[in-house]
């Protein structure tokens, strides 16, 4: 049978294309005319043997092996052949002399290589591993002979490490970096976390990313660390988001009390995950216990049913069996009651002592919505609510830009005229429609020239006028979206000034252009709806952290009104454990009746109570933080708008030791989730570069083999 396979292979499948290494081709014949592979396995049929004859489309070895699984003996024989060929190939590669060693000996016979344990070789390996990791170079790069020649020119004594040694060194470097990051996080006073979820366009994979941001007092600068980029398969529920989030914090040994705030977008699952983390994790624990209880009860019921089926035909055995079943049933019920009682006791015990079970019930996280994402929600609502004004012109601009970008000649001509090209918008990118419109308006004259040359229809004057209104209205929104997405400089204290500037801008446009009054009113209402709780102390669910950041920024502190400054000071003192007295709402007891000799009986009582409260306030001992806040407010420090806020507070540490630490920690809080977004972008580019590098390496190796 083997001779039949071999003779057929020599005349058939081996005659076409490249050499096929898979042993599966010993049992197939490729027919080029119909692009099919015919099975040659002989089967016993009517006392004789007959060829299988099954045909597999194409010449994919995996498909051929899948067919051979229908012939177990042949499949086993094919597997053994492949193993033998692999062993033979490895022995042949091992015995073959390496060209790089021959070059090394012939070119530099007088210089010995660095010994394996030398510090110099270890340092060069570490530098090479770090370079390849940062540049995302595939590990197979060290096998290229040209790279070996290059290294020998630099240092003839250094022998390039193999792939496995580079991989091990990179793993050690990763552990070192992670240990350094863990040490930095351990000494950080406050840590801000950004988290987001990203899915591929095909929705085949999803990932959850987390970054940490804090101010390093030792290095005197803001530090950012990527904590995780985890595969996050659906369902993307709030409970699963919180579970992964808490798991990452535990891996890095980050205490929940240090995390403030958590920055996310406005996705419903992310909002729900941090809305009430205690309650959510408690409900998850109860659900798991409930499922476990049902599983135990189901198992006990199945055991009882099985014992009943195994009863004997004899009367005595039936009687004894029935007695045993009754006893076992009673025992099972008693056991289930005990289990249920223990579970309810455990849950009530956890509810009673939440603070004692930090491993399960962590403290609530203070979540804040991403400023940029929230601002873009206002823009989206603005555009959707006024389609009649902007819809037609924006649609025409989309078509024109798409037409230009689809024509190579038009794009080249436009670049010749302006050295720029039109930009298409992206639904997932912030301010992308504004960017499209702004670039089209910038190249308006050159676009007109190209359209005339190619006899294309250009936009009408009225449409360009609508685009100009759109651009003028949304230019500050796009500007502040980019400004507050920075990481290297403090952005948190700029949120309140940005909102104030947007309100002034909208009122100005509203005054100048009457036809845009409804649009401006919609934008003003949207800003108030989404940001009022950060600016107005009397609003429901007031969150003072943005006012506190602005109060501690000498560039913009003067913008805060009296009640806003008071709320900011109270928030700062409360964060440091120092409660400030509420000066806006003085309290006093119900006055007791005074003797009728007083001119104003009730009013005189009120006066005496107010005087006593004023004296107590004057004689009260202020906390250190309150004293620093008062001195800071009275000093009214000034800093130019382009000044360095971090340098300012580092210089003021001797004057405000407590306030400066709080201010520097607040400087590290990002105003948006852009850091997490950038992690996804970098990760995607690294994956693409790695694929391209591997392809390039494969092409290089193929070229060497050909030579």
């Amino acid at each position: 049978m083997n001779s039949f396979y071999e003779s057929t292979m020599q005349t058939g499948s081996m005659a076409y294309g490249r050499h096929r290494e898979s042993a599966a081709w010993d049992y197939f014949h490729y027919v080029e005319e119909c692009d099919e592979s015919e099975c040659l396995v002989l089967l016993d049929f009517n006392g004789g043997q007959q060829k299988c004859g099954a045909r597999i489309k194409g010449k994919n070895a995996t498909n051929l092996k899948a067919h051979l699984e229908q012939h177990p003996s042949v499949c086993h024989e094919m597997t053994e052949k492949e193993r033998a060929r692999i062993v033979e190939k490895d022995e042949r590669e091992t015995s073959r002399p390496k060209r790089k060693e021959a070059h090394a000996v012939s070119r530099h016979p007088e210089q010995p290589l660095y010994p394996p344990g030398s510090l110099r070789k270890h340092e060069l390996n570490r530098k090479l591993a770090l370079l390849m990791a940062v540049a995302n170079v595939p590990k197979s790069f060290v096998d290229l002979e040209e790279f070996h020649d290059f290294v020998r020119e630099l240092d003839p004594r250094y022998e390039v490490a193999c792939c496995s040694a580079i991989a091990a060194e990179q793993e050690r470097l990763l552990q070192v970096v992670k240990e350094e990051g863990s040490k930095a996080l351990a000494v950080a006073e406050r840590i801000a976390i950004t988290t987001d979820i990203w899915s591929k366009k095909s929705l085949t994979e999803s990932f959850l990313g987390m970054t940490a941001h804090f101010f390093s007092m030792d290095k005197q600068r803001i530090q950012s660390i990527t904590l995780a980029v985890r595969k996050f398969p659906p369902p993307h529920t709030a409970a699963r988001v919180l579970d992964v989030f808490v798991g990452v914090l535990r891996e890095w040994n980050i205490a929940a009390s240090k995390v403030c705030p958590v920055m996310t977008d406005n996705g419903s699952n992310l909002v729900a995950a941090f809305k009430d983390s205690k309650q959510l994790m408690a409900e998850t624990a109860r659900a798991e216990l409930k499922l476990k209880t049902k599983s135990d009860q189901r198992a006990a019921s199945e055991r009882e049913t099985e014992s009943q089926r195994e009863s004997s035909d004899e009367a005595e055995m039936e009687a004894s069996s029935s007695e045993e079943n009754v006893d076992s049933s009673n025992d099972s019920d008693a056991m289930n009651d005990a289990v249920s009682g223990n579970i309810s006791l455990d849950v009530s015990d956890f509810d009673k002592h939440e603070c004692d079970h930090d491993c399960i019930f962590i403290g609530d996280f203070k979540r804040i919505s991403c400023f940029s994402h929230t601002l873009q929600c206002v823009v989206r609502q603005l555009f959707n609510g006024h389609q009649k004004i902007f819809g037609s012109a924006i649609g025409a601009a989309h078509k024109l830009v798409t037409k230009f970008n689809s024509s190579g000649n038009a794009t080249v001509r436009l670049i010749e005229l302006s050295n720029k090209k039109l930009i298409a918008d992206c639904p997932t990118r912030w301010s992308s429609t504004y960017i499209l419109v702004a670039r089209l308006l910038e190249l308006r004259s050159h676009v007109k020239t190209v359209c005339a040359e190619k006899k294309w229809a250009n936009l009408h004057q009225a449409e360009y006028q609508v685009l100009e209104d759109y651009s003028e209205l949304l230019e500050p929104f796009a500007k502040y979206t980019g400004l507050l997405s920075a990481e290297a400089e403090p952005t948190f204290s700029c949120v309140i000034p940005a909102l104030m500037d947007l309100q002034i801008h909208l009122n100005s446009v509203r005054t100048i252009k009457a036809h845009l009054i409804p649009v401006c009113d919609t934008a003003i209402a949207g800003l108030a709806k989404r940001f009022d709780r950060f600016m107005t102390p009397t609003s429901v669910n007031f969150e003072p952290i943005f006012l506190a950041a602005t109060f501690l920024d000498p560039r913009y502190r003067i913008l805060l009104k009296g009640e806003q400054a008071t709320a900011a000071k109270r928030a700062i003192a409360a964060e440091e454990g120092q409660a400030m007295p509420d000066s806006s709402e003085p309290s006093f007891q119900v006055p007791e009746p005074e003797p009728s000799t007083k001119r104003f009986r009730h009013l005189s009582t009120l006066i005496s109570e107010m005087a006593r409260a004023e004296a107590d306030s004057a004689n009260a001992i202020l906390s250190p933080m309150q004293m620093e806040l008062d001195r800071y407010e009275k000093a009214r420090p000034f800093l130019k708008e382009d000044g360095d806020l971090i340098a300012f507070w580092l210089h003021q540490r001797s004057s405000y030791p407590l306030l400066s630490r709080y201010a520097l920690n607040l400087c590290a809080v990002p105003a948006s989730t852009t850091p997490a977004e950038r992690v996804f972008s970098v990760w995607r580019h690294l994956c693409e570069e790695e694929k391209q590098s591997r392809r390039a390496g494969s092409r290089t190796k193929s070229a060497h083999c050909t030579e």
Side-chain angles (χ1 to χ4, degrees):
M1 185 172 67
N2 290 339
S3 61
F4 172 75
Y5 294 147
E6 293 172 0
S7 61
T8 308
M9 236 185 58
Q10 291 173 359
T11 59
S13 62
M14 293 296 292
Y16 305 101
R18 62 182 177 83
H19 175 70
R20 300 184 177 93
E21 297 181 353
S22 175
W25 285 106
D26 293 351
Y27 309 95
F28 281 88
H29 164 69
Y30 177 66
V31 182
E32 187 177 18
E33 290 77 9
C34 56
D35 188 26
E36 292 179 343
S37 300
E38 183 182 8
C39 180
L40 306 178
V41 175
L42 298 179
L43 305 176
D44 295 332
F45 184 76
N46 293 335
Q49 288 186 328
Q50 182 177 348
K51 184 172 63 173
C52 173
R55 293 202 171 193
I56 310 299
K57 187 66 176 177
K59 45 186 177 181
N60 189 299
T62 303
N63 297 336
L64 306 185
K65 294 177 183 178
H67 172 75
L68 291 180
E69 291 179 357
Q70 301 178 14
H71 312 298
S73 59
V74 176
C75 184
H76 177 72
E77 179 182 348
M78 182 266 300
T79 304
E80 294 298 327
K81 283 184 178 181
E82 286 205 332
R83 290 177 180 173
R85 290 182 181 182
I86 292 174
V87 172
E88 181 182 357
K89 182 179 178 180
D90 291 343
E91 292 177 351
R92 189 167 58 250
E93 291 290 337
T94 305
S95 60
R96 180 184 301 170
K98 296 183 179 180
R99 228 174 69 185
K100 61 181 182 181
E101 294 179 357
H103 280 324
V105 174
S106 61
R107 290 173 55 189
H108 306 283
E110 71 286 353
Q111 298 188 22
L113 298 175
Y114 291 117
S118 69
L119 295 177
R120 175 63 177 169
K121 182 174 182 179
H122 174 72
E123 182 63 18
L124 290 174
N125 287 343
R126 191 183 69 84
K127 292 287 187 181
L128 177 59
L130 180 61
L131 171 65
M132 294 177 65
V134 172
N136 195 37
V137 177
K139 300 176 185 65
S140 58
F141 181 76
V142 298
D143 292 335
L144 295 178
E145 294 185 3
E146 285 74 14
F147 178 67
H148 284 263
D149 292 339
F150 174 74
V151 171
R152 280 192 292 269
E153 289 294 333
L154 296 178
D155 190 346
R157 301 187 60 189
Y158 174 60
E159 183 180 18
V160 178
C162 61
C163 292
S164 58
I166 293 295
E169 189 63 36
Q170 288 180 347
E171 188 65 28
R172 283 193 291 270
L173 287 173
L174 178 61
Q175 293 302 320
V176 170
V177 171
K178 189 171 182 179
E179 289 175 3
E180 292 178 354
S182 298
K183 293 178 181 178
L185 290 169
V187 298
E189 297 178 0
R190 293 173 59 126
I191 302 173
I193 305 290
T194 68
T195 183
D196 197 9
I197 300 173
W198 174 78
S199 299
K200 290 184 176 180
K201 288 184 179 179
S202 58
L203 300 180
T204 54
E205 285 184 311
S206 298
F207 299 86
L208 186 144
M210 289 176 57
T211 62
H213 309 267
F214 57 94
F215 189 84
S216 173
M217 298 297 176
D218 296 334
K219 298 182 179 180
Q220 298 186 358
R221 62 181 178 87
I222 298 173
Q223 282 193 272
S224 301
I225 296 177
T226 301
L227 299 180
V229 180
R230 297 283 174 83
K231 280 191 175 181
F232 192 56
H236 302 159
T237 60
R240 294 194 63 240
V241 170
L242 185 61
D243 184 54
V244 175
F245 181 87
V246 174
V248 172
L249 293 186
R250 288 172 179 163
E251 288 179 11
W252 287 86
N253 296 321
I254 299 176
S257 58
K258 282 187 175 183
V259 178
C260 183
V262 178
M263 188 73 63
T264 74
D265 61 20
N266 297 303
S268 58
N269 53 349
L270 292 172
V271 173
F274 301 100
K275 185 176 182 181
D276 192 349
S277 54
K278 284 184 179 179
Q279 180 181 354
L280 185 60
M281 296 194 72
E283 290 175 355
T284 303
R286 291 191 186 97
E288 292 177 353
L289 290 173
K290 188 175 181 180
L291 290 175
K292 185 177 183 301
T293 303
K294 289 183 178 180
S295 178
D296 293 342
Q297 291 176 348
R298 192 181 299 110
S301 177
E302 291 176 354
R303 288 195 299 269
E304 181 181 351
T305 303
E306 185 178 355
S307 64
Q308 290 177 353
R309 290 177 179 175
E310 293 178 353
S311 60
S312 174
D313 294 335
E314 298 180 4
E316 294 180 359
M317 295 298 295
E318 287 181 359
S320 61
S321 176
S322 62
E323 292 175 0
E324 291 175 359
N325 287 334
V326 171
D327 294 340
S328 65
S329 177
N330 293 335
D331 293 341
S332 178
D333 293 339
M335 180 185 67
N336 290 334
D337 293 340
V339 170
S340 301
N342 288 335
I343 291 173
S344 61
L345 179 63
D346 291 342
V347 173
S348 63
D349 186 60
F350 278 112
D351 290 337
K352 185 177 180 182
H353 303 286
E354 283 187 5
C355 297
D356 298 333
H357 297 275
D358 188 62
C359 60
I360 295 180
F361 299 113
I362 60 175
D364 284 341
F365 296 104
K366 178 182 288 187
R367 176 200 162 273
I368 295 179
S369 295
C370 167
F371 172 81
S372 299
H373 187 269
T374 308
L375 195 63
Q376 291 302 309
C377 290
V378 176
V379 174
R380 192 179 303 114
Q381 180 184 3
L382 176 70
F383 180 75
N384 293 336
H386 298 278
Q387 285 280 353
K388 292 183 179 179
I389 298 178
F390 301 116
S392 177
I394 296 294
H398 273 284
K399 292 180 181 179
L400 183 61
V401 171
T402 302
K403 193 170 186 177
F404 263 82
N405 291 340
S406 301
S407 172
N409 293 333
T411 301
V412 170
R413 178 60 176 152
L414 188 61
I415 293 175
E416 290 176 355
L417 294 173
S418 63
N419 201 27
K420 294 181 181 179
K421 66 184 294 289
L422 297 179
I423 302 175
D425 65 341
C426 174
T428 59
R429 189 175 66 182
W430 295 332
S431 305
S432 62
T433 303
Y434 166 79
I435 295 173
L436 178 148
V437 172
R439 177 58 64 87
L440 179 59
L441 292 174
E442 179 186 356
L443 306 182
R444 178 177 176 177
S445 59
H446 302 300
V447 168
K448 181 179 179 180
T449 301
V450 176
C451 287
E453 292 176 356
K454 299 187 71 66
K455 298 181 180 180
W456 287 353
N458 195 3
L459 299 185
H460 300 297
Q461 178 65 28
E463 291 174 327
Y464 273 115
Q465 183 60 48
V466 173
L467 294 182
E468 288 177 356
D469 291 341
Y470 181 88
S471 176
E472 181 182 357
L473 184 67
L474 295 186
E475 188 270 336
F477 287 84
K479 176 183 176 181
Y480 298 140
T481 297
L483 175 67
L484 298 180
S485 298
E487 289 185 68
E489 58 185 20
T491 58
F492 206 66
S493 62
C494 298
V495 170
I496 298 297
L499 293 174
M500 291 181 175
D501 194 74
L502 285 174
Q503 290 177 345
I504 296 173
H505 164 71
L506 292 172
N507 287 323
S508 175
V509 174
R510 190 178 186 277
T511 304
I512 297 173
K513 300 188 177 182
H515 63 284
L516 293 180
I517 289 179
V519 182
C520 295
D521 289 343
T522 302
I524 293 172
L527 291 175
K529 176 183 176 181
R530 297 181 182 274
F531 294 104
D532 190 57
R533 71 187 188 95
F534 298 129
M535 300 182 65
T536 308
T538 57
S539 64
V540 181
N541 299 324
F542 171 61
E543 175 54 60
I545 189 169
F546 285 106
L547 287 178
T550 305
F551 182 80
L552 295 177
D553 191 335
R555 300 171 297 179
Y556 310 116
R557 178 193 57 80
I558 197 172
L559 296 174
L560 300 185
K561 300 177 182 178
E563 59 180 7
Q564 292 177 326
T566 302
K569 291 196 297 181
R570 190 179 301 115
I572 295 170
E575 287 287 341
E576 294 297 321
Q578 305 288 346
M580 288 190 65
D582 191 346
S583 59
S584 60
E585 298 181 3
S587 60
F588 50 89
Q589 298 179 351
V590 178
E592 297 180 359
E594 291 286 339
S596 57
T597 56
K598 300 282 186 179
R599 177 177 296 179
F600 302 106
R601 183 178 59 176
H602 298 290
L603 189 58
S604 59
T605 304
L606 177 60
I607 292 173
S608 62
E609 292 288 343
M610 299 271 304
R612 190 181 306 112
E614 186 178 20
D616 293 342
S617 176
N619 297 328
I621 300 176
L622 297 178
S623 67
M625 175 62 80
Q626 291 172 339
M627 294 173 64
E628 291 187 15
L629 281 169
D630 289 344
R631 284 193 287 109
Y632 170 76
E633 189 173 22
K634 292 177 181 178
R636 298 179 180 178
F638 175 76
L639 182 65
K640 292 182 179 180
E641 192 169 4
D642 58 349
D644 190 341
L645 181 60
I646 293 178
F648 169 82
W649 279 111
L650 288 174
H651 182 70
Q652 297 290 335
R653 281 188 299 177
S654 58
S655 302
Y656 308 100
L658 297 178
L659 199 59
S660 62
R661 297 183 74 88
Y662 179 80
L664 289 171
N665 286 326
L666 212 54
C667 286
V669 180
S672 70
T673 58
T674 306
E677 298 278 353
R678 290 195 179 106
V679 167
F680 293 135
S681 179
V682 171
W683 176 84
R684 184 170 66 252
H685 288 317
L686 288 177
C687 291
E688 293 175 355
E689 290 175 3
E690 185 174 3
K691 290 179 181 178
Q692 294 174 0
S693 299
R694 287 176 177 173
R695 291 169 185 163
S698 300
R699 289 194 294 268
T700 304
K701 289 182 179 179
S702 300
H704 286 308
C705 292
T706 304
E707 292 174 2

